[in-house]
């Protein structure tokens, strides 16, 4: 599981934090992540991939 790719969509940006929604998740839960851990060019609606303990923009 640690090496799996997990896809997220940026649901909202609030100050120094981003709220991410896991793709395919039917619940309304979001994950709060410090923006310092994310690529600087993200915006609401950006699609991210989490792999090897790192977030990057998805192609």
């Amino acid at each position: 599981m640690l090496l799996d790719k997990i896809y997220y969509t940026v649901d909202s940006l609030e100050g120094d934090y981003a709220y991410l929604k896991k793709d395919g998740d039917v619940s309304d839960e979001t994950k709060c992540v410090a923006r310092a851990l994310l690529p600087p060019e993200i915006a609401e609606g950006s699609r991210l991939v989490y792999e090897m303990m790192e977030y990057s923009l998805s192609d």
Side-chain angles (χ1 to χ4, degrees):
M1 176 99 177
L2 182 63
L3 299 177
D4 290 343
K5 291 182 182 181
I6 304 171
Y7 292 91
Y8 292 96
T9 301
V10 178
D11 189 53
S12 64
L13 300 172
E14 297 180 20
D16 291 335
Y17 297 93
Y19 291 87
L20 309 180
K21 177 98 168 115
K22 188 175 180 180
D23 289 5
D25 190 1
V26 294
S27 72
D28 284 337
E29 288 189 40
T30 57
K31 179 177 182 175
C32 181
V33 178
R35 288 181 71 173
L37 299 174
L38 302 172
E41 60 274 6
I42 64 165
E44 289 184 8
S46 295
R47 191 156 185 255
L48 301 172
V49 61
Y50 181 74
E51 181 179 32
M52 303 285 290
M53 299 179 64
E54 186 174 281
Y55 292 93
S56 58
L57 283 171
S58 179
D59 293 334

